[in-house]
């Protein structure tokens, strides 16, 4: 990550983020990649951050249905949004891991597509009165041979509906240093970009920032989001280190046979030991006249039960600190909680997921507005009114079997179409569901079997 002081010096703009916040975002990103400081040849990470963000992303996107309709403009915006949602599992995971993500529409000369930018490449400039990010610097990097090219895309938006986007490019021998300024034409990849462009009559910034709606305990004055495992960093380290103790317990208690050194020496008759001899036998020097010494079996009792119980206890604390329901990381069979405590943990998880879904819904509305503004700026479609629909399911409190039965009843009663039922069951869009239905109709259209 490039230091914010370099960004400030290059752009002449003050970055509204503390150095400690940048360090935490770097830590959260490193933990996702299993590059945290305590991981070594001895301590191997359990990859708990990956499991945690996968679970949050799965629950957040459960039953998600995003659509825009109502006009030619609405149909175009819907196509762009559907393309963005194909990568939703990626950017939602990264949002959960690093605390936030930016989605921005980009016009490539032919059509609009949506790119996502992770929190480690976002340098905030200003927020509106509601804490919404409206101006920021976005970092993009690519490598060409032994040189790294860094692009700073500066988005500025003002309450009067005017905005400006500037592009500055630098070349450096290091990915973590901004380096020296260069022109866009020198880069190749960004040669066709405009150095600067101003906009008018915008409905908002030409990007959407989505974050985890949790209290920022690193920088309480900052509206930036926190990682879903921000409050469990120390516990995740404890779990990784405790797992190493369990592995050592299994290695240290392996059965072995202590034998005198002369016992393991070759004899004239050609003593051949098994292939496992080096692991099974351990040599020691002994006085041949000592009759009490000989083969001795080393087979201590393993303490796996208590060690695994301790690890499971750490998992439960991680679940509590991350707002996950008990049993998502810990052993569901060993959750010694009352029914009310289990329900309370599921309710806590449901509340956290609902808050994340609410932030994503607000972000998608902002993204829709930005796409609409781009359609007007580049004159891609005629102006028209459109209707937005952002729906999310309940993957925490909902029982899949009960929900299947309920939807089947609605389908039987004619209240739910075949296509919508298939789309829900296979977690796909209605176009794919229609293909499934058509394939099934062709398969069974031959009459009597």
């Amino acid at each position: 990550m490039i230091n914010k002081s370099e960004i400030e010096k290059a752009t002449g703009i003050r970055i509204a983020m503390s150095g400690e916040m940048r360090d935490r975002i770097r830590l959260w990103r490193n933990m996702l990649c299993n590059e945290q400081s305590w991981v070594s040849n001895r301590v191997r990470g359990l990859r708990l951050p990956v499991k945690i963000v996968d679970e949050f992303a799965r629950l957040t996107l459960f039953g998600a249905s995003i659509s825009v309709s109502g006009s030619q403009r609405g149909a175009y915006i819907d196509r762009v949004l559907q393309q963005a949602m194909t990568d939703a599992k990626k950017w939602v995971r990264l949002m959960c891991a690093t605390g936030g993500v930016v989605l921005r529409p980009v016009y490539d000369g032919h059509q609009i597509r949506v790119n996502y930018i992770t929190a480690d490449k976002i340098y905030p400039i200003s927020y509106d009165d509601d804490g919404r990010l409206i101006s920021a610097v976005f970092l993009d990097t690519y490598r060409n041979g032994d040189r790294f090219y860094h692009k700073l895309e500066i988005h500025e938006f003002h309450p009067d509906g005017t905005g400006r986007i500037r592009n500055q490019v630098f070349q450096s021998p290091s990915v973590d240093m901004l380096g020296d300024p260069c022109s866009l034409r020198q880069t190749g990849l960004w040669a066709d970009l405009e150095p600067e462009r101003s906009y008018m009559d915008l409905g908002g910034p030409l990007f959407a920032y989505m974050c985890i709606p949790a209290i920022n305990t690193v920088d309480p004055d900052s509206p930036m989001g926190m990682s879903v495992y921000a409050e469990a960093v120390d516990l995740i380290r404890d779990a990784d280190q405790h797992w190493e103790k369990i592995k050592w317990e299994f290695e240290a208690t392996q059965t072995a046979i202590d034998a005198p050194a002369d016992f393991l020496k070759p004899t004239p008759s050609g003593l051949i030991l098994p292939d496992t001899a080096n692991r099974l036998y351990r040599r020691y020097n002994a006085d041949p006249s000592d009759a009490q010494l000989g083969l001795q079996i080393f087979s201590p009792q393993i303490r796996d039960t208590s060690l695994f119980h301790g690890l499971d206890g750490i998992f439960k604390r991680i679940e509590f600190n991350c707002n996950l329901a008990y049993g998502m990381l810990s052993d569901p069979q060993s959750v010694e909680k009352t029914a009310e405590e289990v329900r309370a943990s599921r309710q806590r998880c449901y509340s956290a997921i609902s808050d994340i879904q609410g932030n994503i819904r607000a972000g998608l509305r902002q993204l829709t507005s930005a796409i609409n503004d781009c359609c007007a700026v580049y004159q891609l479609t005629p102006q028209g009114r459109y209707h937005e629909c952002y729906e999310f399911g309940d993957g925490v409190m909902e029982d899949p079997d009960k929900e299947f039965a309920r939807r089947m009843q609605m389908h039987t009663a004619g209240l739910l179409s075949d296509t919508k039922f298939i789309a829900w069951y296979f977690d796909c869009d209605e176009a794919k569901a229609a293909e499934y239905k058509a394939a099934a109709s062709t398969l069974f259209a031959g009459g009597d079997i």
Side-chain angles (χ1 to χ4, degrees):
M1 291 175 62
I2 295 177
N3 195 294
K4 75 163 190 170
S5 61
E6 288 191 70
I7 305 295
E8 291 177 330
K9 183 179 180 181
T11 60
I13 300 174
R14 180 182 175 275
I15 302 301
M17 178 194 295
S18 66
E20 185 178 2
M21 190 68 192
R22 295 298 301 176
D23 292 340
R24 290 298 181 91
I25 293 174
R26 183 186 293 109
L27 170 63
W28 300 330
R29 181 64 183 254
N30 288 345
M31 291 177 66
L32 183 67
C33 301
N34 200 40
E35 296 175 355
Q36 51 269 41
S37 60
W38 59 84
V39 171
S40 62
N41 291 333
R42 186 177 64 86
V43 178
R44 302 294 180 90
L46 286 171
R47 306 304 299 268
L48 292 177
V50 175
K51 176 61 178 176
I52 292 170
V53 299
D54 282 351
E55 192 66 19
F56 267 98
R58 181 186 69 82
L59 296 173
T60 299
L61 295 173
F62 180 85
S65 176
I66 312 299
S67 64
V68 178
S69 59
S71 65
Q72 187 176 348
R73 174 68 60 86
Y76 186 89
I77 293 174
D78 184 69
R79 288 197 299 271
V80 178
L81 280 180
Q82 296 308 323
Q83 174 262 323
M85 292 306 294
T86 59
D87 290 331
K89 290 183 179 179
K90 294 181 181 178
W91 55 259
V92 170
R93 283 184 173 95
L94 291 168
M95 180 186 73
C96 291
T98 60
V101 68
V102 159
L103 300 184
R104 56 165 187 161
V106 177
Y107 180 62
D108 62 6
H110 302 283
Q111 62 182 351
I112 295 175
R113 51 188 174 82
V114 176
N115 290 345
Y116 61 85
I117 306 169
T118 53
D120 56 311
K121 297 180 180 180
I122 301 171
Y123 298 82
I125 297 175
S126 63
Y127 303 85
D128 62 12
D129 294 338
D130 297 325
R132 183 182 63 159
L133 183 64
I134 58 174
S135 297
V137 179
F138 304 132
L139 172 66
D140 194 4
T141 301
Y142 85 95
R143 183 173 184 172
N144 186 2
D146 60 350
R147 306 295 294 177
F148 291 91
Y149 290 91
H150 305 289
K151 176 169 69 71
L152 301 182
E153 187 171 296
I154 307 164
H155 283 245
E156 297 172 287
F157 175 75
H158 306 286
D160 61 0
T162 60
R164 181 175 63 160
I165 297 178
R166 291 182 289 146
N167 290 300
Q168 295 181 334
V169 182
F170 302 82
Q171 59 177 337
S172 170
S174 170
V175 69
D176 295 320
M177 293 177 57
L178 201 55
D180 301 319
C182 66
S183 69
L184 288 165
R185 295 183 180 276
Q186 290 180 251
T187 63
L189 181 63
W190 301 315
D192 295 332
L193 292 180
E194 296 178 289
E196 181 176 329
R197 178 159 186 167
S198 298
Y199 302 86
M200 298 183 66
D201 300 323
L202 298 178
L206 293 178
F207 63 86
Y209 175 65
M210 307 176 193
C211 64
I212 300 301
I215 297 176
N216 192 325
T217 57
V218 178
D219 186 359
D221 295 328
S222 172
M224 294 200 73
M226 299 274 287
S227 170
V228 293
Y229 49 79
E231 301 302 324
V233 171
D234 292 338
L235 291 168
I236 292 173
R237 180 191 60 206
D238 292 343
D240 289 343
Q241 293 174 344
H242 192 86
W243 178 246
E244 169 57 28
K245 294 177 183 177
I246 292 176
K247 292 195 300 179
W248 168 248
E249 180 72 12
F250 277 92
E251 292 176 6
T253 56
Q254 291 183 85
T255 299
I257 297 177
D258 295 326
D262 59 350
F263 175 83
L264 299 177
K265 291 180 180 179
T267 64
S269 59
L271 174 63
I272 300 177
L273 295 175
D275 294 337
T276 58
N278 291 333
R279 179 174 178 177
L280 180 62
Y281 293 98
R282 302 189 305 190
R283 305 180 183 186
Y284 66 90
N285 295 319
D287 185 352
S289 63
D290 191 343
Q292 295 182 349
L293 296 178
L295 298 180
Q296 299 179 10
I297 297 177
F298 175 81
S299 182
Q301 183 177 1
I302 193 169
R303 303 171 301 159
D304 57 330
T305 302
S306 59
L307 287 171
F308 275 109
H309 183 75
L311 180 64
D312 203 57
I314 298 175
F315 284 165
K316 291 173 185 175
R317 291 301 308 174
I318 293 174
E319 289 167 337
F320 181 83
N321 283 26
C322 293
N323 289 319
L324 287 173
Y326 292 127
M328 289 184 173
L329 293 177
S330 58
D331 184 359
Q333 304 301 320
S334 65
V335 178
E336 299 173 359
K337 302 288 182 182
T338 65
E340 187 60 31
E341 287 175 323
V342 172
R343 178 175 178 80
S345 75
R346 294 179 69 85
Q347 187 65 43
R348 183 176 63 249
C349 182
Y350 170 78
S351 178
I353 294 298
S354 296
D355 289 343
I356 295 174
Q357 290 173 340
N359 267 25
I360 291 179
R361 186 180 294 108
L364 288 174
R365 286 197 182 98
Q366 186 176 339
L367 177 62
T368 299
S369 175
I371 297 172
N372 181 55
D373 286 335
C374 287
C375 287
V377 169
Y378 299 106
Q379 301 179 352
L380 300 179
T381 60
Q383 181 71 30
R385 299 176 65 87
Y386 52 83
H387 173 71
E388 306 168 53
C389 179
Y390 311 104
E391 296 181 354
F392 293 89
D394 170 19
V396 181
M397 305 298 289
E398 189 176 275
D399 187 320
D401 293 334
K402 291 181 179 179
E403 181 63 17
F404 178 85
R406 184 177 71 85
R407 293 189 185 236
M408 179 59 78
Q409 288 177 351
M410 294 176 65
H411 175 263
T412 304
L415 301 176
L416 189 66
S417 68
D418 295 345
T419 303
K420 287 187 177 295
F421 181 81
I422 295 172
W424 168 80
Y425 185 81
F426 289 103
D427 190 21
C428 63
D429 56 32
E430 293 189 18
K432 191 67 176 178
E435 295 179 10
Y436 288 152
K437 180 182 176 182
S441 299
T442 303
L443 180 63
F444 297 106
D448 296 337
I449 299 178

